[in-house]
Amino acid sequence: MQDGARPRRTEKVFRFLDEYFGNKVIALDYPKFTGTGMDWPPYSPDLTPCDYFLWGALKDTVYGNHPSTLDELELAICVACNSISIETMKDVIRVAVI
């Protein structure tokens, strides 16, 4: 949204999200259009644990192996996600709540 454009919240976009992700979508006005999913919580923080921890940790692990095909990339992402311990995730979430 750096360009000032409004988020894409049309029925067509929501139908696409619903088709591929079902009730796992969290988005502003999503439940109004589909009757499923979860509305984006008001006053949610700009940065989430995914923003300040997960993406960087996964990127370092995944691209450190230099995958050259989509299958290798998918496998590297799965391995990287599975390598993050429950304790690490609890620590990250604990810090986010403070």
Side-chain angles (χ1 to χ4, degrees):
M1 302 307 135
Q2 269 81 20
D3 62 358
R6 298 212 14 102
R8 307 293 184 249
R9 297 185 304 158
T10 65
E11 189 173 352
K12 184 177 179 181
V13 170
F14 287 147
R15 272 189 273 131
F16 172 83
L17 292 172
D18 190 50
E19 180 182 334
Y20 286 94
F21 301 106
N23 65 352
K24 297 177 185 174
V25 176
I26 299 173
L28 185 61
D29 293 334
Y30 183 76
K32 272 197 281 187
F33 282 96
T34 63
T36 64
M38 185 173 154
D39 205 11
W40 189 258
Y43 308 111
S44 60
D46 290 334
L47 293 176
T48 67
C50 290
D51 291 323
Y52 67 81
F53 167 74
L54 185 61
W55 305 140
L58 291 180
K59 183 177 140 189
D60 292 344
T61 304
V62 169
Y63 289 110
N65 298 329
H66 306 290
S68 58
T69 67
L70 284 177
D71 288 336
E72 288 177 8
L73 179 60
E74 183 179 356
L75 179 63
I77 291 170
C78 290
V79 168
C81 287
N82 289 328
S83 72
I84 300 172
S85 72
I86 297 293
E87 280 305 310
T88 299
M89 291 307 293
K90 286 179 181 178
D91 290 343
V92 169
I93 292 168
R94 192 175 307 116
V95 170
V97 173
I98 296 175

